[in-house]
Amino acid sequence: MNDPTLCYEEHGEIALIRLCRPPVNSLGHALRAALLDAVDRANRQDTVQAIVITGSAGMFSAGADISEFGTPKAAREPRLGRLILALEDSLKPVIAAISGTCLGGGLELALGAHFRIAAPDARIGLPEVKLGLIPGAGGTQRLPRLAGLERALNMILSGNDVPAEQLQDTGLIDAVAGGDIVHAGIGFARRIVAENMPVRKTRDLAISDPAAEAFLGYARTAAATGKDKALLPARQKCVEAISAAVGLPFEQGIALEREKFHLLMQSGEARALRYIFKAERAAGKLDDPPSSDAVHPVSNIGIVGAGTMGTGIAISFLDGGMPVTLLEMDQTALDRGVIRIRKHYELAAKKGKLSAASAAQRLSLLTPALDYASLSAADLVIEAVFEDMDVKKQVFRQLDQACKPEAILATNTSYLDVDRIAQATRRPSNVLGLHFFSPANIMRLLEVVRGEASSRKTLAACLAMARRIGKKAVLAGVCDGFIGNRMLARYSAAAHQLVAEGATPRQVDSSLTGFGLAMGPFQMSDLAGLDIGYAARMRRKNENPGSWRPHIADELVARGHLGQKTGSGWYRYEEGDRAPKPFPLADEIIDEYRSSQGIVPRKISQTEIVERCIYALVNEGARILEEGIAARAGDIDVVYLNGYGFPRRFGGPMFYADEVGLKHVHDTLHAYASAPGAEDWWRPAPLLRSLAASGATFEEWKN
Ligand code: 3H9
């Protein structure tokens, strides 16, 4: 039949309904309506005795259609909750035959069926909390009835999915079946018919757990704490809805669940998490992708430089199961790098994060090398040597000679001009930047820097590679610092100005961690090393002497206080302890700086600290957008969420600005820019000015 979103077939006395709405069988309005019709049809057909609902192409259903949220379609009947009640009321037994992914509303649909059969590796879960929501189509009421209270609390509060075979001992899965799930589902349905088994409505089951109060009490505490504050409101409402499943009749529980679902849907956290969901999926995509057969898959990796960055990058690829040739110029440096990688795997095995066999297998993929000729088979070579244009050009000249013509050559530079590096080769179309963040094997962000000549094939191959090794790739254009570090430079300058004007580093750091950032700018500077920022300032001074301004950190660097690695910087550190302690000498240096600049310190509020630092980020983000360095505001936010510890509950700096209102952001920046002596970069970016004037948002821009 008949409907583009599902297939209805009759196999003797069994009606088979296959959901066919690629890519994930999300339960949008058209599919909900078609499914309700198909269930009605099967019930009306005298010859049909039982109904099997299944998915297609390894996907049962990923749940409600997220793109419908906030649109009239989400509210159009049949709503998901009503559809599930109709399914549960079916007079003929309904069997959900689950393989692949079964999440959110997809699982809620299966919970409304009378029986469930699943492939052992089917992924079963209610991930709604990760979108700032609670399951809103009966999940909080039916899952505890079938899987037990403790299991339901774990699944719903974590949002994590579990393989079906782990649920075999619960009423959630009636049978686990290997092989073809449709065949197994029809066989199971025939048995039900043959044995004349009655329909079992999940909603009629009682929850009788003597430990219910204890579980709920524990869950209440757990839901109120947790690192990711974006999830807290949803988790708390989940516990309230599950408590209702225990204490109230089904109808009341379901009404309460619906009310909380709709309440959360409007919350800032849910809006931010939905935005992140979309932004993360859009970020790693080319607007103009080449055909997939034109893209050479990347599987053999070369890395030049066995320092901290090079070895971290190597581990990322070894973890992804790809062979890596690690090149250094001398044996001692090479040995040091190899030892670092070996120690990493030994530690992982010792801590039980990896079996000894897997650790050994990953290490066996590593080939240390001392000559460029060893890179001749590599599909992709990433250079991770010293940040110096001449050194990089020299490396690329040699790579160009040694590597096969189709090999991609990438630089891991954090700010140098990728186009100039590409010109050192005869293959600029195969050259790009791959900016990993430190520690490279842990940080998920990867800026894929598109050079002037980088071909779409080169970019597409690297984006596919990034997915393979679990990185969140974001495309960036060439400029000083690309997306993340270019914005960071303004943020750090704003933080420095606040200290120059009267705030303490601790006050700035605590205001920003209070806002939700993982770390304040001065703690971050101590962690990275004050010499890093100093080197960047000196480089900019050489490139553009007119841009140079004195900086408090210059004196700290001159006196050897480089941060954690020297035991003092903006703060003091005790041996083996990363907790920042007051450092009176830094305070003296700050005072001296103020006097030298004729600054009379003023009291600065927490609000001003947060606004200045975050709006400095936003303003530079707006420039990055209008220059086309980032294609979308969402790309910038993905960078800040995954590389700079920006709080997820605000969705990223650009989304935060949209939520605050661009007019307010614009007017505040304008006021800062109008203060006597204010640096030019405080002036609102033209894009920010025009969006603020028209009442539009960054999210809408070019979307
Ligand atoms: C819910 O169910 C609420 C109910 O309780 C109550 C309702 C009343 N809707 O991630 P991928 C798209 S809330 C619409 O790249 P993968 C996605 O945007 C929902 N679209 O693939 C992308 O589109 P594009 C609870 C969706 O293989 C494409 O599918 N469910 C949905 O790495 C491929 O996605 C969830 O939270 C959706 N539900 O991962 C599950 N899901 O190609 C969310 C995906 O245009 N989804 N898309 O960029 C996931 O976790 C992953 O997408 C999944 C596949 C594991 C399914």
Side-chain angles (χ1 to χ4, degrees):
M1 113 164 208
N2 49 27
D3 190 281
T5 57
L6 61 71
C7 283
Y8 177 97
E9 298 160 8
E10 287 175 12
H11 296 251
E13 77 277 33
I14 308 300
L16 175 69
I17 303 173
R18 286 181 209 252
L19 313 182
C20 303
R21 188 180 181 229
V24 295
N25 285 332
S26 63
L27 293 156
H29 174 256
L31 181 52
R32 297 194 305 269
L35 186 51
L36 187 61
D37 280 354
V39 172
D40 273 354
R41 174 177 172 176
N43 267 294
R44 277 186 274 107
Q45 192 76 347
D46 289 341
T47 49
V48 168
Q49 302 290 314
I51 304 163
V52 174
I53 299 180
T54 194
S56 48
M59 174 68 64
F60 184 77
S61 167
D65 186 341
I66 296 168
S67 67
E68 276 189 359
F69 288 174
T71 73
K73 271 193 178 170
R76 268 174 72 186
E77 292 291 1
R79 293 186 189 209
L80 190 55
R82 212 201 109 205
L83 166 66
I84 294 170
L85 281 175
L87 203 74
E88 204 172 39
D89 284 338
S90 164
L91 298 173
K92 298 178 182 174
V94 179
I95 297 100
I98 305 166
S99 68
T101 305
C102 177
L103 298 178
L107 176 57
E108 291 174 299
L109 185 76
L111 297 175
H114 305 121
F115 301 93
R116 283 149 300 275
I117 173 169
D121 57 352
R123 306 295 311 183
I124 311 281
L126 290 173
E128 284 84 346
V129 281
K130 294 184 181 174
L131 292 168
L133 300 171
I134 67 170
T140 63
Q141 306 303 299
R142 290 190 180 91
L143 190 63
R145 285 175 158 82
L146 284 170
L149 186 59
E150 188 184 12
R151 187 89 65 141
L153 279 166
N154 282 338
M155 285 175 70
I156 296 174
L157 292 188
S158 72
N160 295 336
D161 52 52
V162 279
E165 63 189 347
Q166 282 181 18
L167 297 164
Q168 273 190 85
D169 59 333
T170 71
L172 178 55
I173 303 296
D174 296 290
V176 163
D180 178 29
I181 195 68
V182 171
H183 184 75
I186 293 178
F188 188 86
R190 291 209 166 109
R191 226 180 57 215
I192 285 169
V193 173
E195 291 174 15
N196 209 9
M197 282 166 80
V199 296
R200 290 184 326 204
K201 292 186 187 179
T202 306
R203 66 176 187 245
D204 291 343
L205 299 173
I207 303 172
S208 54
D209 190 328
E213 261 324 303
F215 286 139
L216 287 169
Y218 177 76
R220 242 170 248 127
T221 315
T225 50
K227 243 165 100 186
D228 191 347
K229 296 213 169 16
L231 308 187
L232 298 188
R235 285 205 170 123
Q236 283 163 10
K237 296 270 178 289
C238 282
V239 180
E240 289 166 23
I242 299 170
S243 303
V246 176
L248 296 175
F250 178 83
E251 287 68 24
Q252 286 180 35
I254 209 102
L256 189 132
E257 179 198 79
R258 195 175 318 118
E259 183 195 314
K260 292 187 187 303
F261 175 81
H262 288 296
L263 202 77
L264 282 168
M265 186 64 93
Q266 310 304 324
S267 68
E269 286 85 353
R271 279 201 304 275
L273 291 169
R274 275 205 300 283
Y275 167 83
I276 295 172
F277 179 86
K278 250 176 65 189
E280 289 192 335
R281 278 156 185 84
K285 291 199 179 117
L286 284 170
D287 289 338
D288 48 353
S291 78
S292 54
D293 24 308
V295 179
H296 294 294
V298 161
S299 48
N300 189 331
I301 308 298
I303 293 171
V304 185
T308 313
M309 209 59 207
T311 50
I313 297 172
I315 291 169
S316 301
F317 285 102
L318 297 173
D319 286 347
M322 297 191 195
V324 172
T325 303
L326 182 65
L327 180 76
E328 254 299 349
M329 290 305 97
D330 73 82
Q331 190 69 51
T332 318
L334 184 62
D335 290 346
R336 216 181 293 129
V338 172
I339 289 169
R340 195 178 291 136
I341 296 174
R342 188 174 303 134
K343 279 200 170 143
H344 164 84
Y345 282 117
E346 281 168 4
L347 195 67
K350 205 167 136 198
K351 285 185 175 169
K353 289 183 182 169
L354 213 59
S355 70
S358 310
Q361 196 271 334
R362 291 181 195 189
L363 256 180
S364 74
L365 295 170
L366 179 70
T367 308
L370 285 168
D371 59 349
Y372 277 89
S374 317
L375 299 174
S376 60
D379 304 310
L380 164 68
V381 180
I382 302 170
E383 157 284 306
V385 303
F386 189 60
E387 285 282 76
D388 178 279
M389 181 55 86
D390 291 335
V391 176
K392 303 246 184 212
K393 278 181 162 175
Q394 178 62 18
V395 168
F396 272 74
R397 254 177 239 121
Q398 305 210 52
L399 288 175
D400 198 29
Q401 297 288 336
C403 296
K404 58 187 181 188
E406 67 274 25
I408 296 173
L409 309 181
T411 169
N412 177 53
T413 181
S414 328
Y415 51 80
L416 292 177
D417 185 341
V418 175
D419 293 328
R420 281 180 62 202
I421 296 174
Q423 279 154 20
T425 73
R426 293 158 302 172
R427 58 177 98 191
S429 63
N430 286 18
V431 177
L432 80 169
L434 288 178
H435 181 209
F436 289 79
F437 287 70
S438 187
N441 53 311
I442 294 180
M443 298 293 286
R444 295 192 69 198
L445 179 64
L446 176 65
E447 283 180 328
V448 175
V449 186
R450 179 180 206 153
E452 208 170 39
S454 311
S455 71
R456 291 180 300 144
K457 261 169 42 180
T458 299
L459 296 167
C462 289
L463 291 170
M465 167 284 288
R467 268 193 298 281
R468 244 183 100 185
I469 61 169
K471 298 287 179 203
K472 291 221 185 297
V474 177
L475 274 170
V478 175
C479 65
D480 186 344
F482 315 126
I483 299 175
N485 283 344
R486 174 168 159 184
M487 287 166 68
L488 187 72
R490 294 294 182 229
Y491 167 84
S492 305
H496 176 262
Q497 185 181 328
L498 286 161
V499 169
E501 289 183 13
T504 63
R506 189 174 287 277
Q507 203 190 340
V508 174
D509 283 345
S510 64
S511 300
L512 287 158
T513 51
F515 173 75
L517 276 143
M519 201 182 268
F522 295 98
Q523 283 169 285
M524 203 195 331
S525 165
D526 271 358
L527 180 67
L530 271 64
D531 47 333
I532 304 280
Y534 179 79
R537 285 195 299 283
M538 289 305 123
R539 178 178 55 81
R540 289 194 197 106
K541 182 182 175 187
N542 287 338
E543 286 167 9
N544 180 6
S547 70
W548 188 79
R549 299 272 180 289
H551 198 287
I552 302 167
D554 294 345
E555 188 57 28
L556 284 165
V557 172
R559 297 201 205 174
H561 303 289
L562 305 183
Q564 287 193 17
K565 60 185 165 194
T566 57
S568 55
W570 296 103
Y571 300 98
R572 187 177 58 80
Y573 300 87
E574 275 159 18
E575 188 72 31
D577 184 1
R578 285 167 180 264
K581 309 264 177 334
F583 184 37
L585 184 69
D587 299 337
E588 276 172 34
I589 290 175
I590 293 168
D591 282 341
E592 281 165 20
Y593 176 87
R594 288 177 187 146
S595 312
S596 72
Q597 301 294 311
I599 298 170
V600 181
R602 64 183 176 94
K603 232 177 139 39
I604 303 180
S605 72
Q606 194 168 329
T607 309
E608 182 180 342
I609 290 173
V610 171
E611 279 193 345
R612 271 191 189 263
C613 292
I614 303 300
Y615 293 180
L617 275 181
V618 172
N619 203 26
E620 197 61 21
R623 292 201 169 90
I624 280 173
L625 264 185
E626 62 192 341
E627 287 170 26
I629 298 296
R632 288 167 288 264
D635 292 7
I636 296 176
D637 286 332
V638 172
V639 166
Y640 260 79
L641 292 164
N642 291 289
Y644 296 84
F646 200 89
R648 287 167 57 78
R649 71 175 192 274
F650 295 133
M654 308 313 275
F655 185 75
Y656 176 74
D658 280 347
E659 292 277 282
V660 167
L662 295 190
K663 180 158 172 13
H664 173 77
V665 176
H666 171 273
D667 293 352
T668 310
L669 280 165
H670 180 72
Y672 294 152
S674 309
E679 289 187 65
D680 206 38
W681 53 263
W682 281 112
R683 270 192 302 123
L687 176 64
L688 173 58
R689 196 182 326 122
S690 70
L691 293 177
S694 65
T697 62
F698 287 125
E699 190 186 357
E700 286 158 352
W701 193 66
K702 282 205 178 166
N703 254 336

